[in-house]
Amino acid sequence: LTTRLAELEREKDSAQATLQEERQTWGLTRQQLEAQVANLERSKKSLESTADTGKRDVVRLEASVMAAETEVKLRDTQLAEVKRQLGELEEKLGHEREDRDLARKQAEEHRARLISDHAAEVKSLEAQHQDAVAALQEGRDRDVAQLKKELSTLTEAQSRRDQEVERLQASVEEKVREAAGNAREAAMWKAQYEGVDKARGQAAQ
């Protein structure tokens, strides 16, 4: 009986030592898990902040793209109006050219009738007519040149706006890809965090 009591005492001491070691091991494991949870929480907050910043950048870029598209539409409207005015002016110049040709023909016929009796008067009228035609043509040429210059300026502005819209669209697409990547990374960290939290709960049980 004494021998059996001694064996039970040794088994009791061994069990208590084992329990103490397991308690120490669990304490270290718990500290490590808590440190990992703290790190994951900090990473989660950082990723959420980065994702929010990316979303705000995307919203700002989308607003810039919409503004640029609106301005491009306005430029298109202005360009169409200038083209319409240029077409009207060219049509008007065509009519005036026809009228001028008709007037020249009539003047030549009239000059032919009067040349024998009114040579001096015919020369004077011809000079006046040529001066008037030259002045009219010069004014119309200036108008056409000015409209063509405005058309060229609007075309160049539209080209620059198109390039800017393309650049903004590319930037938006890049920000969207970054935001999607951040969201995936945040989801991954969240899943890891939930896994660790679940393991910690199971260990605590």
Side-chain angles (χ1 to χ4, degrees):
L1 181 60
T2 302
T3 302
R4 180 59 179 165
L5 288 174
E7 291 177 352
L8 291 173
E9 285 293 335
R10 286 193 297 273
E11 290 176 359
K12 176 183 177 182
D13 292 340
S14 176
Q16 288 179 346
T18 302
L19 179 61
Q20 183 66 27
E21 289 178 356
E22 290 178 351
R23 285 177 178 176
Q24 290 177 354
T25 302
W26 164 241
L28 293 174
T29 302
R30 180 179 179 180
Q31 290 177 358
Q32 292 174 352
L33 289 173
E34 289 176 348
Q36 290 178 0
V37 168
N39 290 333
L40 289 171
E41 288 177 346
R42 287 193 295 271
S43 299
K44 177 185 176 183
K45 290 179 179 178
S46 176
L47 288 172
E48 289 176 346
S49 176
T50 301
D52 290 340
T53 301
K55 290 178 180 178
R56 288 193 294 271
D57 291 339
V58 168
V59 170
R60 284 196 296 270
L61 286 172
E62 288 177 343
S64 298
V65 169
M66 290 178 64
E69 289 176 345
T70 300
E71 187 169 355
V72 167
K73 290 180 181 179
L74 178 60
R75 293 291 184 184
D76 289 341
T77 301
Q78 293 175 346
L79 183 59
E81 178 61 20
V82 170
K83 287 181 178 179
R84 184 189 65 79
Q85 292 178 1
L86 183 59
E88 291 178 353
L89 181 57
E90 288 177 347
E91 182 179 0
K92 183 177 180 182
L93 287 175
H95 292 320
E96 290 178 352
R97 190 178 299 110
E98 293 175 357
D99 294 339
R100 188 168 61 252
D101 293 339
L102 179 60
R104 184 184 299 111
K105 182 178 179 181
Q106 291 174 349
E108 289 173 355
E109 292 174 353
H110 184 64
R111 183 172 64 89
R113 288 193 303 268
L114 298 176
I115 193 169
S116 60
D117 299 328
H118 305 283
E121 184 179 355
V122 168
K123 289 181 180 179
S124 177
L125 289 174
E126 183 177 7
Q128 292 177 7
H129 174 72
Q130 290 177 351
D131 291 340
V133 169
L136 179 62
Q137 183 63 40
E138 183 179 359
R140 294 307 179 187
D141 290 343
R142 284 197 301 270
D143 292 341
V144 170
Q146 180 63 30
L147 283 175
K148 287 183 177 179
K149 182 178 179 180
E150 292 178 0
L151 177 62
S152 177
T153 300
L154 287 174
T155 301
E156 291 175 358
Q158 182 184 12
S159 177
R160 289 193 297 270
R161 288 298 176 183
D162 290 342
Q163 293 175 358
E164 180 65 15
V165 167
E166 291 176 356
R167 186 188 67 77
L168 288 174
Q169 287 176 342
S171 180
V172 166
E173 291 172 356
E174 180 62 24
K175 289 296 183 180
V176 168
R177 287 194 294 271
E178 290 179 1
N182 289 333
R184 289 194 298 271
E185 190 174 359
M188 181 187 70
W189 282 108
K190 181 179 179 181
Q192 292 182 0
Y193 170 79
E194 289 174 352
V196 171
D197 187 59
K198 183 177 180 181
R200 182 175 60 182
Q202 292 176 349
Q205 291 176 0

